Amino acid sequence: MKSHKLMVGAVVVAIATTLTYFPVKAQTVCKVTDPTGTPLNVRKSPNGQIIGTIENYTEVDIYEIVRDEKNRPWAKVGFEGRVWGWVFREFISCYQN
């Protein structure tokens, strides 16, 4: 019984030591923050046909950013590997988690 407690204690120390030396990498989180208060339009292409909407505060992944002919930024967005379409980049806020 005593050796079992020592082994458990050693495992706990090993895990604590590992966590000390290998911190979790910061992750970028992006969310819809459309200041108009309406759902954000999702488009087939930058400034193209509207194919859907995304509610404010929905978490999204940005796969690509391009600029249109008027130099406005557009982001190709989706979540978990599924691309939804293009949105106006200014209405997506990103931060380190």
Side-chain angles (χ1 to χ4, degrees), residues 29-58:
V29 176
C30 298
K31 292 185 179 184
V32 174
T33 52
D34 186 337
T36 66
T38 60
L40 180 60
N41 289 330
V42 179
R43 298 173 182 271
K44 190 173 185 175
S45 61
N47 204 27
Q49 175 188 359
I50 297 171
I51 57 173
T53 60
I54 308 174
E55 295 292 326
N56 257 346
Y57 310 111
T58 301

Side-chain angles (χ1 to χ4, degrees), residues 1 3 6 9 22 31 41 44 56 63 65 77-80 88 97:
M1 184 70 149
S3 65
L6 288 175
F22 300 107
K31 292 185 179 184
N41 289 330
K44 190 173 185 175
N56 257 346
Y63 297 106
I65 297 174
V77 298
F79 190 71
E80 295 181 349
F88 189 55
N97 189 7

Side-chain angles (χ1 to χ4, degrees), residues 59-61 63 78-84:
E59 192 172 308
V60 297
D61 296 322
Y63 297 106
F79 190 71
E80 295 181 349
R82 182 171 169 253
V83 175
W84 296 334

Side-chain angles (χ1 to χ4, degrees), residues 3 8 11 17 21 27-28 43 46 48 55 62 64-65 70 82 87-89 92 96:
S3 65
V8 171
V11 169
T17 303
Y21 291 108
Q27 183 178 15
T28 301
R43 298 173 182 271
E55 295 292 326
I62 295 178
E64 184 179 354
I65 297 174
K70 294 181 181 179
R82 182 171 169 253
V87 298
F88 189 55
R89 172 62 180 93
I92 303 289
Q96 292 293 316

